[in-house]
Amino acid sequence: GAVVSQHPSWVICKSGTSVKIECRSLDFQATTMFWYRQFPKQSLMLMATSNEGSKATYEQGVEKDKFLINHASLTLSTLTVTSAHPEDSSFYICSARAAVRGEKLFFGSGTQLSVL
Amino acid sequence: DAKTTQPNSMESNEEEPVHLPCNHSTISGTDYIHWYRQLPSQGPEYVIHGLTSNVNNRMASLAIAEDRKSSTLILHRATLRDAAVYYCILRGTINDYKLSFGAGTTVTVRA
């Protein structure tokens, strides 16, 4: 089956630093990738949608200058949390859609970010 | 996006069937019904999807009401590994395939 690899699985950083999370589709080309975050005991919240080679579309209330998304190739998207603060601590999850695979979305295993 | 309503939680015994209901009374004619599940500390996993007809796959069955205002995910024989949060999501055809997750149903399986 299709695999989406997300790295790192967890990261601890100091307040004010930036953190990059990678999301790779291993055996298919991801025409569209989505980034979610999830706080403890809550559901997933969609942050942004990115299509390869174009700018990401951010959901209302998500700061595009803080959460930089790059989707430079059909197999890689990155989310950079810039100047992270403790309130950015969350579980970040990417998902990918392959046009040839129809309706399914494939999700990464998530990245737990803890900002001290 | 059309909204879905699911029970907060359900319990089941191992090797018994589990029927997870989902109400989506404002569904439009082109909305697909998707089910995903999320195990603890993992990303969601696709379970099944359908449009009008009932669907079966190796993981589950999806029964869709004739008026499409509700659906039921059926796990035929629950195992401990099926303990997860199950999300019923409507995907419209004009929203670039993005999925909006609700609260879902937390399924607990008793040994």
Side-chain angles (χ1 to χ4, degrees):
Chain A
V3 176
V4 173
S5 174
Q6 189 172 338
H7 179 81
S9 299
W10 58 269
V11 58
I12 302 172
C13 70
K14 292 182 178 179
S15 186
T17 60
S18 295
V19 173
K20 180 185 283 189
I21 302 169
E22 290 189 350
C23 181
R24 294 181 184 272
S25 56
L26 296 186
D27 56 353
F28 66 97
Q29 293 185 326
T31 50
T32 306
M33 285 189 170
F34 305 92
W35 287 94
Y36 293 83
R37 67 178 169 183
Q38 185 175 32
F39 294 107
K41 305 293 184 185
Q42 294 186 23
S43 188
L44 285 77
M45 291 171 36
L46 180 66
M47 300 175 68
T49 302
S50 73
N51 292 296
E52 184 264 339
S54 60
K55 289 184 179 180
T57 302
Y58 291 82
E59 295 298 303
Q60 192 171 5
V62 178
E63 299 175 59
K64 63 179 182 180
D65 294 330
K66 181 167 186 62
F67 299 99
L68 301 180
I69 292 171
N70 184 283
H71 191 168
S73 78
L74 284 171
T75 58
L76 174 64
S77 177
T78 60
L79 168 67
T80 301
V81 183
T82 62
S83 186
H85 291 285
E87 57 266 29
D88 298 322
S89 298
S90 186
F91 191 52
Y92 291 87
I93 308 167
C94 70
S95 70
R97 176 181 176 262
V100 296
R101 295 191 188 237
E103 282 290 310
K104 293 182 187 180
L105 288 189
F106 301 95
F107 286 80
S109 54
T111 297
Q112 182 62 54
L113 170 64
S114 296
V115 185
L116 304 178
Chain B
D1 290 333
K3 185 178 169 62
T4 63
T5 304
Q6 299 178 250
N8 289 334
S9 62
M10 291 191 76
E11 289 191 355
S12 174
N13 294 318
E14 202 173 9
E15 301 201 358
E16 289 186 356
V18 182
H19 290 238
L20 301 176
C22 180
N23 287 317
H24 28 78
S25 59
T26 60
I27 191 170
S28 73
T30 55
D31 286 344
Y32 282 84
I33 302 162
H34 281 244
W35 284 83
Y36 284 77
R37 70 180 186 181
Q38 185 179 24
L39 279 64
S41 301
Q42 295 187 28
E45 173 187 29
Y46 169 84
V47 178
I48 202 166
H49 78 276
L51 184 61
T52 56
S53 302
N54 294 343
V55 185
N56 299 296
N57 66 21
R58 64 174 180 81
M59 289 182 70
S61 295
L62 176 60
I64 302 173
E66 197 169 333
D67 64 5
R68 299 207 332 124
K69 293 186 176 182
S70 65
S71 60
T72 302
L73 178 71
I74 303 164
L75 306 178
H76 295 286
R77 290 181 63 195
T79 70
L80 297 178
R81 290 174 294 179
D82 291 322
V85 180
Y86 286 77
Y87 298 98
C88 170
I89 307 166
L90 300 183
R91 190 198 66 81
T93 53
I94 60 171
N95 65 356
D96 201 19
Y97 287 85
K98 64 183 181 182
L99 300 179
S100 296
F101 286 75
T105 297
T106 300
V107 171
T108 304
V109 180
R110 293 185 292 255

